[in-house]
Amino acid sequence: MNLKRLLVAALAAVALHANAFVGNYDEGSFTYNSGKQFVVADVFNFQLTSPSSLRTTLEITKSNGLLGLGLFDALDNSLIGSFFLSGPQGATTTRSFANLSTGSYYYGVLGGFLPKGSYTLHSSATAVPEPAALGLALLSVGALGLALRRKKASQSV
């Protein structure tokens, strides 16, 4: 019974020590540098205004740490993808999330450091051309090629 109370008290102390951060961003491109902390429980909300791909980099910038990052669709809280990072200061990992549609998303970062540590999250969004725009571009290049061919043929006559 005493062990159970001690465990609950220890978990409550860790939870109270967590510096939860909630950030709201207009687009999927941003950089966040955390302060020194033991426990990480951060959320980063953002909008994609056009179909995009995300490139996400997570780096431990101070101390030894273990971090997990998940990308979620904010509409139904479904997990799109995730990755983990553990190691000493300077450990880095990058992951790409391709073909995301227009809408609301969020990153969730959970983990901890021993002793207190920090991390950097960098997210960059790149617009993915829509199929109709790509088709129109190819049609334009084809029309230019045909016009050049006709011009060349008329000059040689």
Side-chain angles (χ1 to χ4, degrees):
M1 191 68 140
N2 289 336
L3 182 60
K4 186 175 179 181
R5 285 184 187 173
L6 182 62
L7 182 59
V8 169
L11 288 175
V14 168
L16 289 174
H17 214 300
N19 296 327
F21 171 81
V22 177
N24 296 302
Y25 299 91
D26 293 332
E27 283 293 329
S29 296
F30 61 88
T31 299
Y32 172 76
N33 298 304
S34 76
K36 290 173 73 174
Q37 51 197 348
F38 283 117
V39 178
V40 176
D42 298 336
V43 176
F44 304 88
N45 299 299
F46 60 94
Q47 302 283 324
L48 295 178
T49 56
S50 63
S52 302
S53 291
L54 293 174
R55 182 174 167 87
T56 308
T57 302
L58 195 59
E59 178 185 4
I60 296 173
T61 54
K62 179 100 173 124
S63 190
N64 292 312
L66 172 63
L67 297 171
L69 180 140
L71 174 64
F72 297 87
D73 185 329
L75 184 63
D76 59 4
N77 293 319
S78 61
L79 178 65
I80 295 169
S82 63
F83 61 89
F84 293 93
L85 172 64
S86 67
Q89 178 175 332
T92 303
T93 189
T94 299
R95 168 93 190 263
S96 293
F97 301 99
N99 302 319
L100 299 171
S101 60
T102 302
S104 298
Y105 296 89
Y106 65 93
Y107 290 118
V109 180
L110 295 174
F113 299 98
L114 195 60
K116 282 186 175 182
S118 59
Y119 72 95
T120 297
L121 170 64
H122 178 73
S123 177
S124 60
T126 305
V128 175
E130 294 188 26
L134 189 56
L136 185 58
L138 290 174
L139 184 63
S140 299
V141 169
L144 283 174
L146 183 60
L148 286 174
R149 185 174 179 199
R150 283 187 175 182
K151 184 177 179 180
K152 197 174 192 180
S154 68
Q155 287 177 350
S156 64
V157 172

